[in-house]
Amino acid sequence: MKILEANKIHKSYGNKFNKQEVLKGLDIAINQGEFVSIMGASGSGKTTLLNVLSSIDRVSTGSITIEGKEMTGMKEKQLAEFRKHYLGFIFQDYNLLDTLTVKENILLPLSIKKVSKKEANQRFEGIARELGILELQDKYPNEISGGQKQRTSAARAFIHEPSIIFADEPTGALDSKSASDLLNKLSELKRNRKATIIMVTHDPVAASYCDRVIFIKDGQIYTQINKGDEERKNFFKDIMKTQGILGGVQNER
């Protein structure tokens, strides 16, 4: 079942005298329960695509529908309410509040949804245990490692059970072991909770954990490859081969 559909997405910056067209009529569909990676060279438009799909930025023209709800026509107040219920976010730089404990950071999405304390604690224990950070609940962000911070960020994204999790270079600031730990946890959460995850990454290793990789070039979809029943190491080779044809993929920041 399709959970997200984007049709004829255009995104431009500037004015009519100095206009830069970043996205050039993309069509994209994401199925419920998919773990999808978006890759592309610097300047290809992959981060812009993630931003418009996640409502962080608005499209110039085109339509985006999530769970049957058309986002592009929503007012700011409607969008804020929509994000609160339907979307979760994992950022490269964690975006944790230093003055709150791990548990308090994770519970933030539930505090604005007015979930009961009992239910909030039950949800916290479940997600924190799945991500292996339950014992860190009383620590502050400056007392834990980068990998633990990102797992805290992931727990915060999942705790309100959104329709889609958007992840922007979630392993970009992590060492290889922490990155691998996070991606394994995301894969488990995807399976156990039937979660839908859309991730932008420049790293073919990270992308190899996904079900599908969409390659963006010059503001359009260049190609996409599906993992299917392939082992991860073989899917990684497929990603590297496509990356080579594209001329190399660099980090787009």
Side-chain angles (χ1 to χ4, degrees), residues 54-204:
S54 64
S55 79
I56 290 174
D57 202 355
R58 287 188 180 271
V59 297
S60 299
T61 60
S63 68
I64 299 170
T65 303
I66 293 177
E67 290 271 36
K69 295 174 175 60
E70 167 63 68
M71 282 201 317
T72 40
M74 291 183 184
K75 305 293 185 186
E76 286 303 324
K77 191 174 180 181
Q78 291 174 302
L79 265 180
E81 193 67 19
F82 184 81
R83 289 187 201 105
K84 193 179 359 177
H85 294 279
Y86 291 93
L87 309 182
F89 299 89
I90 305 172
F91 301 99
Q92 180 176 339
D93 56 359
Y94 321 126
N95 280 20
L96 301 177
L97 297 177
D98 293 334
T99 56
L100 300 182
T101 64
V102 164
K103 182 176 181 178
E104 290 167 342
N105 267 289
I106 293 170
L107 287 174
L108 270 178
L110 297 187
S111 66
I112 59 177
K113 285 184 71 175
K114 299 179 181 177
V115 172
S116 72
K117 188 174 181 180
K118 181 180 179 182
E119 184 183 349
N121 281 325
Q122 287 175 341
R123 288 204 203 180
F124 166 76
E125 287 194 17
I127 192 67
R129 186 171 282 111
E130 282 184 83
L131 282 161
I133 53 174
L134 185 60
E135 73 283 359
L136 304 175
Q137 61 181 298
D138 295 322
K139 291 188 178 291
Y140 289 87
N142 65 357
E143 298 175 318
I144 60 178
S145 70
Q148 291 166 336
K149 286 178 185 177
Q150 197 59 297
R151 278 184 274 155
T152 299
S153 177
R156 180 185 58 193
F158 275 92
I159 196 166
H160 63 297
E161 299 171 354
S163 299
I164 302 179
I165 305 287
F166 291 97
D168 186 8
E169 300 281 8
T171 62
L174 305 180
D175 60 56
S176 58
K177 184 184 183 306
S178 297
S180 176
D181 288 345
L182 175 71
L183 291 160
N184 277 315
K185 292 294 184 185
L186 290 179
S187 297
E188 287 172 15
L189 286 168
K190 176 250 175 188
R191 287 194 301 271
N192 297 340
R193 292 174 175 250
K194 297 179 173 59
T196 305
I197 306 171
I198 303 175
M199 174 177 74
V200 158
T201 184
H202 69 285
D203 183 1

